Amino acid sequence: ICIILIVLTTLSTHAQTLCVIDGTPLPDSLLHVTIDEMRSDSAKQIVAKRLGFIPPYAIESIQTFSAEEQIKQGKNITFCKSPADIIIIRTNSLAELQWVINGKLRKPRKKLTIIDYKLSPQRITEALPRGIKPTDIGSVNIITYVNDPRQEKHPTIVIKTKSLTTK
């Protein structure tokens, strides 16, 4: 598998760990972990606690790589400044936002995870279900179930439209 990463964020002068969740590099301000933490048995719990909006069971896998080793193996990786290590985290469907519009469960135009929302809230408009325009939105709330023992609970986006009618 060819991994292509282009990191446009500025890393500080010392080499840091690069965290990538579902293909998107995360800024340290959102998640700062070390390679040793991610190699531990409690890695999923550490990520969940530090992020604060995703439960451990929504994390499918965590892989750690040495950036230097990946470059030596001829992987197609491009960095502005090479990190010391790379951590790749994959979430499962329990990280996907469930959509409730005016009290009814709706399918989005495209899937949106809680990670996507935290990195770029405007992605909501791109994923709005058919028939709903951004100008129709009256209010938006995000509900997360981090401490809920029911593992089937998805983070939920609750939208009320101005007209309170779905189209």
Side-chain angles (χ1 to χ4, degrees):
I1 289 180
C2 177
I3 299 174
I4 298 175
L5 297 174
I6 299 176
V7 180
L8 300 176
T9 57
T10 304
L11 299 176
S12 64
T13 54
H14 65 283
Q16 297 186 59
T17 301
L18 170 64
C19 288
V20 178
I21 295 185
D22 297 331
T24 304
L26 290 178
D28 273 353
S29 60
L30 192 58
L31 178 64
H32 181 76
V33 292
T34 66
I35 195 75
D36 292 333
E37 289 173 323
M38 295 300 94
R39 288 182 177 151
S40 74
D41 291 338
S42 57
K44 290 180 180 181
Q45 289 77 15
I46 292 169
V47 170
K49 185 174 180 162
R50 298 235 176 109
L51 286 175
F53 53 81
I54 187 171
Y57 48 81
I59 299 170
E60 184 72 31
S61 65
I62 298 175
Q63 295 176 294
T64 59
F65 302 96
S66 161
E68 184 178 304
E69 189 60 35
Q70 293 295 303
I71 292 168
K72 282 182 186 175
Q73 289 181 12
K75 305 288 184 191
N76 290 332
I77 301 175
T78 305
F79 299 102
C80 294
K81 182 170 184 150
S82 290
D85 300 293
I86 302 169
I87 299 169
I88 297 179
I89 302 170
R90 289 187 182 86
T91 61
N92 58 34
S93 64
L94 293 172
E96 288 177 17
L97 284 170
Q98 188 173 30
W99 292 69
V100 175
I101 299 178
N102 297 330
K104 295 180 183 177
L105 195 61
R106 297 281 306 268
K107 281 199 171 270
R109 186 171 290 142
K110 65 183 206 177
K111 291 180 182 180
L112 187 70
T113 68
I114 189 71
I115 305 294
D116 295 327
Y117 168 76
K118 286 294 186 177
L119 288 172
S120 182
Q122 64 268 22
R123 289 184 183 178
I124 288 174
T125 58
E126 299 167 6
L128 280 170
R130 297 197 191 289
I132 305 289
K133 297 180 287 206
T135 55
D136 295 338
I137 296 174
S139 67
V140 176
N141 291 300
I142 302 292
I143 302 170
T144 58
Y145 298 94
V146 175
N147 296 317
D148 195 312
R150 298 171 291 177
Q151 293 188 359
E152 71 280 359
K153 297 300 267 182
H154 288 254
T156 304
I157 183 168
V158 180
I159 297 175
K160 289 187 181 174
T161 60
K162 292 175 185 172
S163 66
L164 291 179
T165 59
T166 56
K167 299 176 182 176

